[in-house]
Amino acid sequence: MEGIATAVVGWNGGRLRLASAPRMAITRLSRGLAFGRPGDKMQQCRVLEATLALLEEDAPIEPLYVDEAM
């Protein structure tokens, strides 16, 4: 449990769970848009901030479902 804390962001929760990452943020966004729509800085910041907040938790933790959609 030493080293660099990591978090994974993705849109496909089923595949992310297979990766067994210690911290996961899962969105309901489209493939290739895990952080949000192009040009939507507010949405991208919300996803990023939610993901970075996971780094404050001791891993492993349950996946975070970020309430962002297209």
Side-chain angles (χ1 to χ4, degrees), residues 35-46:
F35 277 96
R37 292 180 294 273
D40 190 340
K41 292 180 183 180
M42 296 300 292
Q43 184 179 50
Q44 294 165 5
C45 282
R46 287 191 302 269

Side-chain angles (χ1 to χ4, degrees), residues 3-66:
I4 299 171
T6 59
V8 175
V9 180
W11 59 273
N12 189 326
R15 289 193 182 193
L16 280 181
R17 286 181 174 275
L18 291 175
S20 299
R23 297 172 190 85
M24 294 181 269
I26 301 169
T27 67
R28 294 182 296 138
L29 299 165
S30 297
R31 178 178 170 175
L33 303 175
F35 277 96
R37 292 180 294 273
D40 190 340
K41 292 180 183 180
M42 296 300 292
Q43 184 179 50
Q44 294 165 5
C45 282
R46 287 191 302 269
V47 174
L48 179 60
E49 288 171 357
T51 304
L52 291 175
L54 294 175
L55 298 175
E56 297 175 4
E57 304 284 334
D58 288 332
I61 61 173
E62 290 295 313
L64 170 68
Y65 289 89
V66 181

